[in-house]
Amino acid sequence: MDEAVVLYSTPAVGHLVSMVELGKLILSHRSSISIHIFITAAPYSAGSTASYIAEVAAAVPSISFHHLPTVTLPSTAASHHETLTFEVIRLSKPHLRQALLSISKSHSINAVIMDFFCADSLSVASELNIPGYFFFASGAACLALLLYFPTIHENTTKSFKDLNTFLHVPGAPPVLSSDMPSPTLDRYDKAYEYFLELATSFPKSAGIIANTFELLEARAVKAISDGLCVPTTNTPPLYCIGPLIAAKNESDGVPECLTWLDSQPSQSVVFLCFGSLGLFSKEQLTEIAIGLERSGQRFLWVVRNPPSNNQSLAISPLADPDLESLLPDGFLDRTREKGLVVKSWAPQVAVLNHDSVGGFVTHCGWNSVLEAVYAGVPMVAWPLYAEQRFNRLLLVEEIKIALPMKESEDGFVTAVEVEKRVRELMDTEAGNSIRERTITMKNEAKAAVSEGGSSRVALSKLVESWKSK
């Protein structure tokens, strides 16, 4: 019987891309395996992944995609989009079971590797006697935080948003309770309950695969491996196999922004981009524009339409922005020599690897962080949602490859702060120090995924363990 590995992804593009890259990585180690990627229907629309899936399926025939049937949510009145994802995964369990049984008729399934949002599905793999692994698309310190979450829960009766204290997690820097991942801030929210269940599922798995590399987060990796984050039971093996970086796609010609970058001096441009879900109000966009103009720095800025209905995330399709009406009068003309504003999207990996780019203002999504590290580009950390405030803490205090963007209590960032941080990153000793540290991490990242490197060795151990199952 042919061997297969099933990867179970959530539909969010950042998670799907990481899962696909994991599939490619497994194939690079054992090409005889077929990879089957299961995807649930999205509970919200953040843009279609159909063209991306079609490209991968055409380029890598050993990877096939299976869309599980759409489920009907009992209610969509959730305060966090993560809750909707958890609900879809829970309701999709019968479909997952059916799909695994169907593949097992013609293949020997070595493993089911689940996105961490799919934790509720571990029971399906266990029932079918298939080893179940978790793929953690964020960093090891964030994983330490998640594994320790049940312990924190036991030691307090208050919501994190009301605690106003530092939480001490093995392997991680002290985290202010209000900087915990946003869906966990309210103890009485359904999202909190789901994350708590998720955290208690992890130790029951056959192993945890993390998109990081040992030297980037050495302290967190050691704390997890030593069992300090799960004091009540055994911790499964941890496989740090990152960084997983999506390959550059040059098939659609050269975008205008890359041509523009070609005409800019080396390491002179600061790149501002905020992920597939992050949105800003018109007022915030105005402050960014004023700050950039005053900074005097060259910039490439990806701008999306402001949210409607008080949404802070792009969980429904957005039209391209009308830049003239969104940005301050005359801004585009006045900055024409030094800046380029791009509507909605830019090829982030290609931009970060361009010689002209010397800094990155980012929302601290983990894929973006790793792409910056792998390209050796220092960051200004401006978190927007999910675990990104914790990631900022990690990047600024622990790894020291970013400067913090500081917001007011309501999350607003002034033009003065934007100007200050962009200048500091691009034109000061502090910025240079972070740049040197980032270059060191870039070299460590490349070493980790090279022959004999820590991530290659971890992948080998994972794939070899399936032979003995």
Side-chain angles (χ1 to χ4, degrees), residues 111-282:
V112 177
I113 301 174
M114 290 161 276
D115 185 284
F116 73 96
F117 274 109
C118 304
D120 195 39
S121 303
L122 183 63
S123 59
V124 178
S126 300
E127 179 200 338
L128 299 176
N129 289 317
I130 304 169
Y133 295 79
F134 286 117
F135 175 58
F136 195 69
S138 201
C142 194
L143 174 60
L145 186 69
L146 182 72
L147 292 173
Y148 202 64
F149 184 30
T151 303
I152 300 171
H153 174 80
E154 290 297 322
N155 289 335
T156 183
T157 55
K158 283 187 173 180
S159 291
F160 293 137
K161 64 184 176 63
D162 302 323
L163 262 181
N164 195 28
T165 188
F166 281 95
L167 303 170
H168 297 274
V169 175
V175 56
L176 195 61
S177 52
S178 57
D179 282 346
M180 286 289 280
S182 49
T184 69
L185 290 177
D186 183 351
R187 193 180 182 94
Y188 303 102
D189 192 287
K190 188 70 180 170
Y192 182 99
E193 187 183 317
Y194 273 127
F195 271 94
L196 190 60
E197 286 176 11
L198 182 162
T200 56
S201 296
F202 265 57
K204 300 171 187 171
S205 68
I208 303 169
I209 303 158
N211 187 11
T212 190
F213 57 100
E214 283 187 22
L215 276 167
L216 184 69
E217 302 182 88
R219 204 161 67 91
V221 170
K222 186 174 190 319
I224 295 167
S225 302
D226 289 350
L228 302 181
C229 302
V230 189
T232 55
T233 186
N234 290 335
T235 303
L238 173 63
Y239 303 94
C240 296
I241 49 79
L244 292 172
I245 308 290
K248 285 182 271 190
N249 178 22
E250 309 290 0
S251 62
D252 299 328
V254 179
E256 177 203 0
C257 62
L258 294 182
T259 305
W260 180 81
L261 284 172
D262 288 342
S263 66
Q264 304 305 311
S266 178
Q267 295 197 337
S268 67
V269 176
V270 62
F271 176 46
L272 299 90
C273 190
F274 299 93
S276 57
L277 293 179
L279 297 177
F280 289 119
S281 66
K282 186 177 189 299

Side-chain angles (χ1 to χ4, degrees), residues 1-29:
M1 243 187 190
D2 291 339
E3 291 178 285
V5 170
V6 170
L7 308 183
Y8 189 19
S9 175
T10 56
V13 66
H15 289 250
L16 178 59
V17 168
S18 288
M19 201 60 110
V20 166
E21 293 305 315
L22 176 61
K24 290 179 186 173
L25 197 60
I26 292 168
L27 285 173
S28 74
H29 196 83

Side-chain angles (χ1 to χ4, degrees), residues 3 26-33 110 463-464 466-467:
E3 291 178 285
I26 292 168
L27 285 173
S28 74
H29 196 83
R30 198 188 297 176
S31 58
S32 59
I33 290 178
N110 286 331
V463 176
E464 294 307 311
W466 296 334
K467 286 185 176 174

Side-chain angles (χ1 to χ4, degrees), residues 294-297 418-428:
R294 286 181 183 162
S295 77
Q297 301 298 319
V418 172
E419 176 190 359
K420 175 185 172 186
R421 292 303 176 187
V422 167
R423 270 192 179 155
E424 188 180 1
L425 184 69
M426 301 299 287
D427 205 18
T428 69

